[in-house]
Amino acid sequence: MINVIASITIKEGRIPEFIEIFKANVPLVLKEKGCIGYLPTMDVDSGLPPQERDENVVTIIEQWETLADLKAHLTAPHMLTYKKKVEDIVVGLSLKVLQAI
């Protein structure tokens, strides 16, 4: 199983717009071959000292059966449409692709 942590930095004040676009795409992603989970999340104030919070970041937690399934996801037609819709909202993206050891 492949786990992905994608942190998407959004322009200030545009989080609600981004979330609306993103959530509309989630059902399509969940139907993709190999998709086990696809969950958008945001920081919550936990009060834990090492936590770094950023209210302009949406973190996506993904699980895929294989790396090939993840790669196919990136070029799925609905993902290309999603990317076009958010291109002027997203400031940056960091990606961690992980496998359990």
Side-chain angles (χ1 to χ4, degrees):
M1 179 171 48
I2 300 296
N3 297 285
V4 178
I5 307 295
S7 296
I8 306 170
T9 305
I10 310 301
K11 287 183 180 176
E12 194 167 330
R14 308 282 301 268
I15 288 284
E17 181 182 358
F18 175 82
I19 291 172
E20 182 179 335
I21 294 167
F22 189 90
K23 282 188 171 184
N25 198 44
V26 169
L28 299 172
V29 174
L30 291 173
K31 290 179 184 177
E32 289 181 46
K33 178 186 176 299
C35 183
I36 300 167
Y38 195 73
L39 179 67
T41 66
M42 291 188 71
D43 290 341
V44 62
D45 187 0
S46 67
L48 298 173
Q51 181 183 11
E52 294 180 20
R53 292 180 54 221
D54 188 336
E55 51 192 44
N56 292 315
V57 172
V58 175
T59 301
I60 314 307
I61 302 170
E62 307 176 34
Q63 291 184 311
W64 297 91
E65 289 181 13
T66 68
L67 189 53
D69 293 331
L70 170 61
K71 288 180 178 181
H73 160 69
L74 299 175
T75 59
H78 56 272
M79 287 307 295
L80 299 177
T81 299
Y82 153 80
K83 288 175 190 175
K84 194 76 164 158
K85 287 180 180 178
V86 300
E87 68 185 355
D88 68 329
I89 301 172
V90 172
V91 175
L93 169 69
S94 71
L95 192 66
K96 291 190 87 52
V97 179
L98 310 162
Q99 187 170 13
I101 54 172

mmCIF file of all heavy atoms in Angstrom, residues 47-72:
data_model
loop_
_atom_site.group_PDB
_atom_site.id
_atom_site.type_symbol
_atom_site.label_atom_id
_atom_site.label_comp_id
_atom_site.label_asym_id
_atom_site.label_seq_id
_atom_site.Cartn_x
_atom_site.Cartn_y
_atom_site.Cartn_z
ATOM 1 N N GLY A 47 -2.674 22.240 20.931
ATOM 2 C CA GLY A 47 -1.978 22.654 22.138
ATOM 3 C C GLY A 47 -0.682 21.905 22.367
ATOM 4 O O GLY A 47 -0.010 22.107 23.368
ATOM 5 N N LEU A 48 -0.308 21.024 21.430
ATOM 6 C CA LEU A 48 0.945 20.281 21.568
ATOM 7 C C LEU A 48 2.096 21.163 21.102
ATOM 8 O O LEU A 48 2.064 21.708 19.998
ATOM 9 C CB LEU A 48 0.886 18.992 20.746
ATOM 10 C CG LEU A 48 -0.201 17.998 21.160
ATOM 11 C CD1 LEU A 48 -0.273 16.846 20.182
ATOM 12 C CD2 LEU A 48 0.055 17.494 22.577
ATOM 13 N N PRO A 49 3.124 21.300 21.932
ATOM 14 C CA PRO A 49 4.214 22.228 21.639
ATOM 15 C C PRO A 49 4.923 22.044 20.290
ATOM 16 O O PRO A 49 5.268 23.035 19.674
ATOM 17 C CB PRO A 49 5.195 22.033 22.791
ATOM 18 C CG PRO A 49 4.481 21.244 23.810
ATOM 19 C CD PRO A 49 3.293 20.607 23.186
ATOM 20 N N PRO A 50 5.146 20.835 19.791
ATOM 21 C CA PRO A 50 5.891 20.762 18.536
ATOM 22 C C PRO A 50 5.043 21.065 17.295
ATOM 23 O O PRO A 50 5.568 21.170 16.198
ATOM 24 C CB PRO A 50 6.398 19.313 18.492
ATOM 25 C CG PRO A 50 5.442 18.550 19.334
ATOM 26 C CD PRO A 50 4.947 19.515 20.380
ATOM 27 N N GLN A 51 3.730 21.222 17.478
ATOM 28 C CA GLN A 51 2.861 21.419 16.323
ATOM 29 C C GLN A 51 3.092 22.778 15.672
ATOM 30 O O GLN A 51 3.155 23.808 16.339
ATOM 31 C CB GLN A 51 1.389 21.307 16.722
ATOM 32 C CG GLN A 51 0.458 21.489 15.545
ATOM 33 C CD GLN A 51 -1.015 21.463 15.928
ATOM 34 O OE1 GLN A 51 -1.382 21.508 17.087
ATOM 35 N NE2 GLN A 51 -1.859 21.399 14.926
ATOM 36 N N GLU A 52 3.199 22.758 14.353
ATOM 37 C CA GLU A 52 3.246 23.977 13.555
ATOM 38 C C GLU A 52 1.936 24.051 12.786
ATOM 39 O O GLU A 52 1.582 23.118 12.078
ATOM 40 C CB GLU A 52 4.423 23.940 12.583
ATOM 41 C CG GLU A 52 5.765 23.961 13.267
ATOM 42 C CD GLU A 52 6.907 23.918 12.263
ATOM 43 O OE1 GLU A 52 6.700 24.248 11.084
ATOM 44 O OE2 GLU A 52 8.008 23.529 12.672
ATOM 45 N N ARG A 53 1.210 25.141 12.942
ATOM 46 C CA ARG A 53 -0.083 25.294 12.274
ATOM 47 C C ARG A 53 0.029 26.310 11.145
ATOM 48 O O ARG A 53 0.764 27.275 11.242
ATOM 49 C CB ARG A 53 -1.140 25.777 13.266
ATOM 50 C CG ARG A 53 -1.475 24.750 14.316
ATOM 51 C CD ARG A 53 -2.518 25.231 15.306
ATOM 52 N NE ARG A 53 -3.703 25.700 14.610
ATOM 53 C CZ ARG A 53 -4.389 26.789 14.944
ATOM 54 N NH1 ARG A 53 -4.017 27.527 15.954
ATOM 55 N NH2 ARG A 53 -5.460 27.142 14.281
ATOM 56 N N ASP A 54 -0.742 26.060 10.095
ATOM 57 C CA ASP A 54 -0.836 27.008 8.988
ATOM 58 C C ASP A 54 -2.260 26.947 8.457
ATOM 59 O O ASP A 54 -2.675 25.945 7.885
ATOM 60 C CB ASP A 54 0.166 26.660 7.884
ATOM 61 C CG ASP A 54 0.246 27.732 6.813
ATOM 62 O OD1 ASP A 54 -0.728 28.506 6.642
ATOM 63 O OD2 ASP A 54 1.277 27.794 6.129
ATOM 64 N N GLU A 55 -3.005 28.006 8.675
ATOM 65 C CA GLU A 55 -4.416 28.003 8.274
ATOM 66 C C GLU A 55 -4.615 28.177 6.773
ATOM 67 O O GLU A 55 -5.743 28.144 6.293
ATOM 68 C CB GLU A 55 -5.219 29.031 9.059
ATOM 69 C CG GLU A 55 -4.641 30.413 9.081
ATOM 70 C CD GLU A 55 -5.314 31.305 10.112
ATOM 71 O OE1 GLU A 55 -5.545 30.851 11.243
ATOM 72 O OE2 GLU A 55 -5.594 32.464 9.764
ATOM 73 N N ASN A 56 -3.545 28.310 6.020
ATOM 74 C CA ASN A 56 -3.634 28.388 4.558
ATOM 75 C C ASN A 56 -3.189 27.095 3.882
ATOM 76 O O ASN A 56 -2.947 27.087 2.677
ATOM 77 C CB ASN A 56 -2.815 29.570 4.025
ATOM 78 C CG ASN A 56 -3.425 30.889 4.437
ATOM 79 O OD1 ASN A 56 -4.635 31.071 4.340
ATOM 80 N ND2 ASN A 56 -2.609 31.790 4.931
ATOM 81 N N VAL A 57 -3.060 26.034 4.662
ATOM 82 C CA VAL A 57 -2.636 24.745 4.109
ATOM 83 C C VAL A 57 -3.750 23.713 4.290
ATOM 84 O O VAL A 57 -4.305 23.574 5.378
ATOM 85 C CB VAL A 57 -1.337 24.236 4.782
ATOM 86 C CG1 VAL A 57 -1.008 22.817 4.348
ATOM 87 C CG2 VAL A 57 -0.177 25.175 4.454
ATOM 88 N N VAL A 58 -4.055 23.003 3.201
ATOM 89 C CA VAL A 58 -4.948 21.853 3.238
ATOM 90 C C VAL A 58 -4.064 20.631 2.999
ATOM 91 O O VAL A 58 -3.299 20.598 2.030
ATOM 92 C CB VAL A 58 -6.057 21.942 2.165
ATOM 93 C CG1 VAL A 58 -6.903 20.690 2.149
ATOM 94 C CG2 VAL A 58 -6.926 23.181 2.397
ATOM 95 N N THR A 59 -4.152 19.665 3.895
ATOM 96 C CA THR A 59 -3.341 18.454 3.785
ATOM 97 C C THR A 59 -4.241 17.297 3.366
ATOM 98 O O THR A 59 -5.256 17.039 4.017
ATOM 99 C CB THR A 59 -2.636 18.134 5.110
ATOM 100 O OG1 THR A 59 -1.800 19.247 5.458
ATOM 101 C CG2 THR A 59 -1.782 16.884 4.991
ATOM 102 N N ILE A 60 -3.856 16.640 2.281
ATOM 103 C CA ILE A 60 -4.614 15.513 1.765
ATOM 104 C C ILE A 60 -3.907 14.237 2.209
ATOM 105 O O ILE A 60 -2.707 14.078 2.000
ATOM 106 C CB ILE A 60 -4.698 15.540 0.215
ATOM 107 C CG1 ILE A 60 -5.044 16.941 -0.292
ATOM 108 C CG2 ILE A 60 -5.678 14.481 -0.277
ATOM 109 C CD1 ILE A 60 -6.261 17.574 0.296
ATOM 110 N N ILE A 61 -4.671 13.337 2.826
ATOM 111 C CA ILE A 61 -4.154 12.044 3.230
ATOM 112 C C ILE A 61 -4.744 11.011 2.272
ATOM 113 O O ILE A 61 -5.967 10.868 2.198
ATOM 114 C CB ILE A 61 -4.519 11.730 4.693
ATOM 115 C CG1 ILE A 61 -3.951 12.834 5.604
ATOM 116 C CG2 ILE A 61 -4.016 10.349 5.094
ATOM 117 C CD1 ILE A 61 -4.440 12.775 7.023
ATOM 118 N N GLU A 62 -3.863 10.364 1.524
ATOM 119 C CA GLU A 62 -4.300 9.430 0.481
ATOM 120 C C GLU A 62 -3.732 8.046 0.747
ATOM 121 O O GLU A 62 -2.630 7.917 1.266
ATOM 122 C CB GLU A 62 -3.790 9.880 -0.891
ATOM 123 C CG GLU A 62 -4.114 11.305 -1.250
ATOM 124 C CD GLU A 62 -3.513 11.720 -2.577
ATOM 125 O OE1 GLU A 62 -3.406 10.867 -3.502
ATOM 126 O OE2 GLU A 62 -3.122 12.892 -2.706
ATOM 127 N N GLN A 63 -4.486 7.035 0.320
ATOM 128 C CA GLN A 63 -4.000 5.665 0.344
ATOM 129 C C GLN A 63 -4.340 5.017 -0.992
ATOM 130 O O GLN A 63 -5.484 5.112 -1.468
ATOM 131 C CB GLN A 63 -4.633 4.863 1.479
ATOM 132 C CG GLN A 63 -4.158 5.311 2.849
ATOM 133 C CD GLN A 63 -4.731 4.445 3.940
ATOM 134 O OE1 GLN A 63 -5.928 4.205 3.982
ATOM 135 N NE2 GLN A 63 -3.866 3.973 4.829
ATOM 136 N N TRP A 64 -3.327 4.368 -1.574
ATOM 137 C CA TRP A 64 -3.460 3.714 -2.877
ATOM 138 C C TRP A 64 -2.937 2.296 -2.782
ATOM 139 O O TRP A 64 -1.984 2.024 -2.045
ATOM 140 C CB TRP A 64 -2.673 4.499 -3.941
ATOM 141 C CG TRP A 64 -3.231 5.876 -4.116
ATOM 142 C CD1 TRP A 64 -2.862 7.016 -3.449
ATOM 143 C CD2 TRP A 64 -4.293 6.256 -4.975
ATOM 144 N NE1 TRP A 64 -3.622 8.069 -3.850
ATOM 145 C CE2 TRP A 64 -4.521 7.637 -4.802
ATOM 146 C CE3 TRP A 64 -5.082 5.574 -5.898
ATOM 147 C CZ2 TRP A 64 -5.497 8.337 -5.495
ATOM 148 C CZ3 TRP A 64 -6.056 6.275 -6.595
ATOM 149 C CH2 TRP A 64 -6.257 7.629 -6.390
ATOM 150 N N GLU A 65 -3.542 1.399 -3.533
ATOM 151 C CA GLU A 65 -3.089 0.012 -3.532
ATOM 152 C C GLU A 65 -1.675 -0.111 -4.079
ATOM 153 O O GLU A 65 -0.856 -0.850 -3.532
ATOM 154 C CB GLU A 65 -4.051 -0.863 -4.342
ATOM 155 C CG GLU A 65 -5.377 -1.065 -3.643
ATOM 156 C CD GLU A 65 -6.333 -1.949 -4.414
ATOM 157 O OE1 GLU A 65 -5.917 -2.621 -5.386
ATOM 158 O OE2 GLU A 65 -7.520 -1.975 -4.044
ATOM 159 N N THR A 66 -1.359 0.611 -5.168
ATOM 160 C CA THR A 66 -0.033 0.511 -5.793
ATOM 161 C C THR A 66 0.448 1.887 -6.240
ATOM 162 O O THR A 66 -0.341 2.822 -6.403
ATOM 163 C CB THR A 66 -0.063 -0.409 -7.029
ATOM 164 O OG1 THR A 66 -0.835 0.241 -8.059
ATOM 165 C CG2 THR A 66 -0.653 -1.783 -6.719
ATOM 166 N N LEU A 67 1.738 1.974 -6.482
ATOM 167 C CA LEU A 67 2.317 3.196 -7.021
ATOM 168 C C LEU A 67 1.769 3.474 -8.425
ATOM 169 O O LEU A 67 1.533 4.626 -8.791
ATOM 170 C CB LEU A 67 3.845 3.082 -7.057
ATOM 171 C CG LEU A 67 4.630 4.336 -7.389
ATOM 172 C CD1 LEU A 67 4.254 5.503 -6.489
ATOM 173 C CD2 LEU A 67 6.122 4.062 -7.313
ATOM 174 N N ALA A 68 1.512 2.432 -9.201
ATOM 175 C CA ALA A 68 0.931 2.600 -10.540
ATOM 176 C C ALA A 68 -0.452 3.245 -10.451
ATOM 177 O O ALA A 68 -0.800 4.098 -11.269
ATOM 178 C CB ALA A 68 0.862 1.259 -11.260
ATOM 179 N N ASP A 69 -1.249 2.851 -9.440
ATOM 180 C CA ASP A 69 -2.572 3.460 -9.255
ATOM 181 C C ASP A 69 -2.436 4.946 -8.938
ATOM 182 O O ASP A 69 -3.188 5.779 -9.455
ATOM 183 C CB ASP A 69 -3.340 2.764 -8.126
ATOM 184 C CG ASP A 69 -3.725 1.332 -8.460
ATOM 185 O OD1 ASP A 69 -3.913 1.016 -9.656
ATOM 186 O OD2 ASP A 69 -3.826 0.522 -7.519
ATOM 187 N N LEU A 70 -1.478 5.298 -8.081
ATOM 188 C CA LEU A 70 -1.232 6.707 -7.753
ATOM 189 C C LEU A 70 -0.840 7.487 -8.998
ATOM 190 O O LEU A 70 -1.361 8.578 -9.254
ATOM 191 C CB LEU A 70 -0.146 6.825 -6.682
ATOM 192 C CG LEU A 70 0.382 8.245 -6.414
ATOM 193 C CD1 LEU A 70 -0.726 9.171 -5.939
ATOM 194 C CD2 LEU A 70 1.534 8.186 -5.417
ATOM 195 N N LYS A 71 0.063 6.948 -9.786
ATOM 196 C CA LYS A 71 0.509 7.638 -10.998
ATOM 197 C C LYS A 71 -0.641 7.822 -11.984
ATOM 198 O O LYS A 71 -0.761 8.875 -12.618
ATOM 199 C CB LYS A 71 1.673 6.891 -11.642
ATOM 200 C CG LYS A 71 2.956 7.021 -10.839
ATOM 201 C CD LYS A 71 4.106 6.278 -11.482
ATOM 202 C CE LYS A 71 5.389 6.467 -10.694
ATOM 203 N NZ LYS A 71 6.518 5.785 -11.317
ATOM 204 N N ALA A 72 -1.510 6.817 -12.113
ATOM 205 C CA ALA A 72 -2.675 6.938 -13.000
ATOM 206 C C ALA A 72 -3.615 8.034 -12.490
ATOM 207 O O ALA A 72 -4.208 8.778 -13.280
ATOM 208 C CB ALA A 72 -3.398 5.604 -13.097
#
